[in-house]
Protein backbone atom coordinates (compact mmCIF):
# COMPACT_ATOMS: atom_id res chain seq x y z
CA UNK A 1 0.00 0.00 0.00
CA UNK A 2 1.59 3.23 -1.20
CA UNK A 3 -0.38 5.94 0.52
CA UNK A 4 -1.11 9.62 0.26
CA UNK A 5 -2.39 10.87 3.61
CA UNK A 6 -4.72 13.81 4.01
CA UNK A 7 -3.33 15.46 7.14
CA UNK A 8 -5.21 18.31 8.81
CA UNK A 9 -3.30 18.56 12.07
CA UNK A 10 -6.14 17.03 14.08
CA UNK A 11 -6.38 13.73 15.94
CA UNK A 12 -8.39 11.81 13.32
CA UNK A 13 -6.11 12.30 10.33
CA UNK A 14 -3.04 11.72 12.49
CA UNK A 15 -4.45 8.48 13.89
CA UNK A 16 -5.44 7.22 10.43
CA UNK A 17 -1.91 7.80 9.13
CA UNK A 18 -0.46 6.10 12.21
CA UNK A 19 -2.62 3.01 11.57
CA UNK A 20 -1.48 2.92 7.94
CA UNK A 21 2.17 3.05 9.03
CA UNK A 22 1.61 0.28 11.59
CA UNK A 23 0.16 -1.87 8.82
CA UNK A 24 3.30 -1.40 6.77
CA UNK A 25 2.20 1.27 4.32
CA UNK A 26 4.76 3.24 2.34
CA UNK A 27 4.09 6.97 2.72
CA UNK A 28 4.36 8.52 -0.74
CA UNK A 29 2.93 11.91 0.11
CA UNK A 30 1.16 13.97 2.72
CA UNK A 31 -1.44 16.48 1.55
CA UNK A 32 -2.40 19.38 3.77
CA UNK A 33 -5.59 21.08 2.60
CA UNK A 34 -6.05 24.76 3.46
CA UNK A 35 -9.64 25.94 2.89
CA UNK A 36 -10.16 29.67 2.35
CA UNK A 37 -13.39 29.55 4.37
CA UNK A 38 -13.63 28.54 8.02
CA UNK A 39 -17.05 26.95 7.40
CA UNK A 40 -15.73 24.35 4.96
CA UNK A 41 -17.98 21.28 4.80
CA UNK A 42 -15.09 18.92 4.11
CA UNK A 43 -11.93 20.17 5.71
CA UNK A 44 -10.41 21.20 9.01
CA UNK A 45 -9.76 24.95 8.76
CA UNK A 46 -7.95 26.15 11.90
CA UNK A 47 -4.15 26.09 12.29
CA UNK A 48 -3.76 23.77 9.29
CA UNK A 49 -0.27 25.15 8.66
CA UNK A 50 0.96 23.21 11.71
CA UNK A 51 0.30 19.93 9.88
CA UNK A 52 3.39 20.49 7.76
CA UNK A 53 5.46 20.61 10.94
CA UNK A 54 3.78 17.42 12.14
CA UNK A 55 4.92 15.75 8.94
CA UNK A 56 8.49 16.87 9.70
CA UNK A 57 8.13 15.46 13.22
CA UNK A 58 7.27 12.10 11.62
CA UNK A 59 10.22 12.27 9.24
CA UNK A 60 8.09 13.00 6.16
CA UNK A 61 8.84 16.69 5.71
CA UNK A 62 10.19 16.08 2.21
CA UNK A 63 6.88 14.78 0.83
CA UNK A 64 4.36 17.42 1.92
CA UNK A 65 2.02 19.01 -0.60
CA UNK A 66 0.03 22.08 0.45
CA UNK A 67 -3.29 22.38 -1.37
CA UNK A 68 -5.43 25.51 -1.21
CA UNK A 69 -9.17 25.17 -1.85
CA UNK A 70 -12.02 27.67 -1.86
CA UNK A 71 -13.89 26.11 1.06
CA UNK A 72 -17.11 26.41 -0.95
CA UNK A 73 -19.38 23.37 -0.66
CA UNK A 74 -18.77 20.83 -3.48
CA UNK A 75 -16.40 23.15 -5.34
CA UNK A 76 -13.72 22.40 -2.76
CA UNK A 77 -14.09 18.68 -3.52
CA UNK A 78 -13.54 19.27 -7.24
CA UNK A 79 -10.50 21.42 -6.45
CA UNK A 80 -9.03 18.66 -4.30
CA UNK A 81 -9.59 16.13 -7.08
CA UNK A 82 -7.62 18.24 -9.56
CA UNK A 83 -4.70 18.57 -7.15
CA UNK A 84 -4.69 14.90 -6.15
CA UNK A 85 -4.61 13.86 -9.80
CA UNK A 86 -1.51 16.02 -10.27
CA UNK A 87 0.13 14.71 -7.10
CA UNK A 88 -0.61 11.11 -8.10
CA UNK A 89 1.28 11.64 -11.35
CA UNK A 90 4.25 12.85 -9.31
CA UNK A 91 4.23 10.23 -6.56
CA UNK A 92 2.35 7.18 -7.83
CA UNK A 93 0.29 6.61 -4.69
CA UNK A 94 -2.45 3.97 -4.87
CA UNK A 95 -4.35 4.69 -1.64
CA UNK A 96 -5.66 7.85 0.06
CA UNK A 97 -5.67 7.86 3.87
CA UNK A 98 -8.57 9.73 5.47
CA UNK A 99 -9.56 10.20 9.10
CA UNK A 100 -13.35 10.10 8.69
CA UNK A 101 -15.20 8.56 11.64
CA UNK A 102 -18.89 8.74 10.81
CA UNK A 103 -19.56 11.47 8.25
CA UNK A 104 -21.10 9.83 5.19
CA UNK A 105 -20.95 13.24 3.50
CA UNK A 106 -17.17 13.29 3.77
CA UNK A 107 -16.55 9.62 3.09
CA UNK A 108 -18.74 9.48 -0.03
CA UNK A 109 -16.90 12.43 -1.52
CA UNK A 110 -13.48 11.08 -0.64
CA UNK A 111 -14.43 7.78 -2.26
CA UNK A 112 -15.61 9.58 -5.40
CA UNK A 113 -12.40 11.59 -5.64
CA UNK A 114 -10.27 8.49 -5.06
CA UNK A 115 -12.12 6.58 -7.75
CA UNK A 116 -11.67 9.38 -10.25
CA UNK A 117 -7.92 9.65 -9.68
CA UNK A 118 -7.49 5.87 -9.71
CA UNK A 119 -6.90 5.16 -6.02
CA UNK A 120 -8.51 3.40 -3.08
CA UNK A 121 -9.59 4.82 0.28
CA UNK A 122 -8.09 3.72 3.59
CA UNK A 123 -10.31 4.88 6.47
CA UNK A 124 -9.32 2.92 9.61
CA UNK A 125 -11.35 5.16 11.94
CA UNK A 126 -14.61 4.53 10.14
CA UNK A 127 -17.38 3.19 12.36
CA UNK A 128 -15.36 3.18 15.58
CA UNK A 129 -17.28 3.80 18.79
CA UNK A 130 -16.50 7.46 19.58
CA UNK A 131 -16.03 6.94 23.32
CA UNK A 132 -13.74 3.93 22.90
CA UNK A 133 -11.88 5.80 20.18
CA UNK A 134 -11.18 8.82 22.40
CA UNK A 135 -9.92 6.58 25.18
CA UNK A 136 -7.75 4.61 22.77
CA UNK A 137 -6.10 7.75 21.44
CA UNK A 138 -4.79 8.62 24.88
CA UNK A 139 -3.86 5.06 25.80
CA UNK A 140 -1.92 4.62 22.55
CA UNK A 141 0.16 7.72 23.22
CA UNK A 142 -1.50 10.49 21.23
CA UNK A 143 -1.07 13.91 22.81
CA UNK A 144 -3.41 16.61 21.60
CA UNK A 145 -5.22 19.79 22.56
CA UNK A 146 -8.60 21.27 21.66
CA UNK A 147 -8.17 24.27 19.34
CA UNK A 148 -11.76 25.29 18.67
CA UNK A 149 -15.17 24.88 20.28
CA UNK A 150 -18.46 25.55 18.45
CA UNK A 151 -21.05 23.85 20.63
CA UNK A 152 -22.84 24.52 23.89
CA UNK A 153 -21.55 22.31 26.69
CA UNK A 154 -17.81 22.35 26.05
CA UNK A 155 -16.15 24.85 28.40
CA UNK A 156 -13.65 27.49 27.41
CA UNK A 157 -11.14 25.99 29.85
CA UNK A 158 -10.60 22.95 27.58
CA UNK A 159 -8.95 25.12 24.92
CA UNK A 160 -5.25 24.43 24.77
CA UNK A 161 -5.36 21.88 27.58
CA UNK A 162 -3.63 18.52 26.98
CA UNK A 163 -6.30 15.83 26.74
CA UNK A 164 -5.63 12.86 29.00
CA UNK A 165 -7.96 10.13 30.23
CA UNK A 166 -9.46 12.41 32.89
CA UNK A 167 -10.32 15.03 30.25
CA UNK A 168 -11.74 12.35 27.94
CA UNK A 169 -14.11 11.13 30.65
CA UNK A 170 -15.14 14.72 31.33
CA UNK A 171 -15.85 15.27 27.63
CA UNK A 172 -17.86 12.03 27.48
CA UNK A 173 -19.92 13.13 30.48
CA UNK A 174 -20.59 16.52 28.88
CA UNK A 175 -21.52 14.90 25.56
CA UNK A 176 -24.16 12.77 27.26
CA UNK A 177 -25.54 15.79 29.03
CA UNK A 178 -25.60 18.11 26.01
CA UNK A 179 -26.00 15.71 23.08
CA UNK A 180 -22.85 16.32 21.04
CA UNK A 181 -20.49 13.70 19.58
CA UNK A 182 -17.74 12.95 22.14
CA UNK A 183 -15.19 12.51 19.34
CA UNK A 184 -16.30 15.84 17.78
CA UNK A 185 -17.21 14.20 14.46
CA UNK A 186 -20.01 16.73 13.98
CA UNK A 187 -17.55 19.62 14.03
CA UNK A 188 -18.30 20.51 17.66
CA UNK A 189 -14.59 21.01 18.25
CA UNK A 190 -11.24 20.74 16.49
CA UNK A 191 -8.00 19.33 17.83
CA UNK A 192 -4.26 19.58 17.22
CA UNK A 193 -1.79 16.75 17.84
CA UNK A 194 1.60 17.70 19.28
CA UNK A 195 3.05 14.23 19.86
CA UNK A 196 2.21 10.65 18.88
CA UNK A 197 3.82 7.19 18.65
CA UNK A 198 4.93 7.79 15.04
CA UNK A 199 6.51 11.19 15.82
CA UNK A 200 10.29 11.36 16.14
CA UNK A 201 10.07 14.82 17.70
CA UNK A 202 7.50 16.85 19.61
CA UNK A 203 5.64 19.82 18.15
CA UNK A 204 5.99 22.84 20.44
CA UNK A 205 3.18 25.38 20.37
CA UNK A 206 2.63 28.96 21.40
CA UNK A 207 -0.87 30.42 21.12
CA UNK A 208 -3.70 32.37 22.67
CA UNK A 209 -7.33 31.66 23.40
CA UNK A 210 -9.94 33.80 21.65
CA UNK A 211 -13.66 34.15 22.36
CA UNK A 212 -15.52 34.59 19.08
CA UNK A 213 -19.09 34.63 20.44
CA UNK A 214 -21.24 32.67 22.88
CA UNK A 215 -20.31 28.96 22.72
CA UNK A 216 -17.65 29.63 20.08
CA UNK A 217 -13.98 29.82 21.00
CA UNK A 218 -10.72 29.19 19.19
CA UNK A 219 -7.06 28.82 19.95
CA UNK A 220 -4.88 30.74 17.52
CA UNK A 221 -1.42 29.21 17.23
CA UNK A 222 1.09 32.01 16.66
CA UNK A 223 4.26 29.93 16.65
CA UNK A 224 5.19 26.26 16.33
CA UNK A 225 8.55 24.50 16.27
CA UNK A 226 10.05 21.06 16.84
CA UNK A 227 11.39 20.04 20.25
CA UNK A 228 12.86 16.93 21.80
CA UNK A 229 10.65 13.86 21.73
CA UNK A 230 8.51 13.47 24.82
CA UNK A 231 9.20 16.96 26.19
CA UNK A 232 5.95 18.91 26.46
CA UNK A 233 6.41 22.50 25.32
CA UNK A 234 3.07 24.29 25.25
CA UNK A 235 2.77 28.03 25.89
CA UNK A 236 -0.94 28.81 25.82
CA UNK A 237 -2.40 32.05 27.19
Amino acid sequence: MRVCALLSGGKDSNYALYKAIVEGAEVACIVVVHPAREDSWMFHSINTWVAGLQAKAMGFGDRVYNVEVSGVKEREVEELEVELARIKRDTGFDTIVVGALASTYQRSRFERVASRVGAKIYAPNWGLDPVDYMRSLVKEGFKFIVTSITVMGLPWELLGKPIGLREVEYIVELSRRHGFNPAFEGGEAETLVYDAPHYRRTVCLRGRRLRVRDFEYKLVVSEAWLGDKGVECLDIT
Side-chain angles (χ1 to χ4, degrees), residues 15-160:
Y15 190 71
L17 176 53
Y18 166 67
K19 296 298 285 187
I21 293 170
V22 168
E23 292 195 11
E26 177 187 358
V27 179
C29 52
I30 291 179
V31 170
V32 183
V33 180
H34 307 279
R37 294 170 57 109
E38 290 189 2
D39 60 349
S40 166
W41 280 65
M42 283 289 291
F43 306 109
H44 187 116
S45 63
I46 183 172
N47 302 314
T48 53
W49 63 274
V50 180
L53 196 61
Q54 292 175 339
K56 289 183 179 179
M58 301 174 203
F60 302 137
D62 60 340
R63 59 202 81 175
V64 175
Y65 291 78
N66 290 289
V67 172
E68 296 184 1
V69 298
S70 63
V72 176
K73 186 178 181 181
E74 301 301 350
R75 186 194 303 172
E76 61 186 354
V77 181
E78 297 170 0
E79 293 163 344
L80 175 65
E81 180 184 326
V82 170
E83 292 302 310
L84 283 177
R86 176 182 62 83
I87 294 168
K88 188 173 187 295
R89 289 193 293 270
D90 291 343
T91 64
F93 68 82
D94 57 40
T95 304
I96 299 172
V97 179
V98 299
L101 278 167
S103 171
T104 53
Y105 178 89
Q106 289 183 332
R107 175 157 183 160
S108 64
R109 282 153 181 81
F110 283 136
E111 287 178 339
R112 185 178 71 203
V113 167
S115 175
R116 288 179 175 177
V117 302
K120 299 175 292 184
I121 283 288
Y122 177 76
N125 304 346
W126 186 256
L128 295 179
D129 177 85
V131 174
D132 291 341
Y133 170 63
M134 289 291 281
R135 291 169 178 158
S136 293
L137 282 170
V138 176
K139 291 176 181 177
E140 292 186 42
F142 279 76
K143 298 182 179 181
F144 60 96
I145 58 174
V146 173
T147 54
S148 77
I149 294 172
T150 55
V151 67
M152 184 176 69
L154 280 174
W156 155 278
E157 290 77 15
L158 278 176
L159 273 183

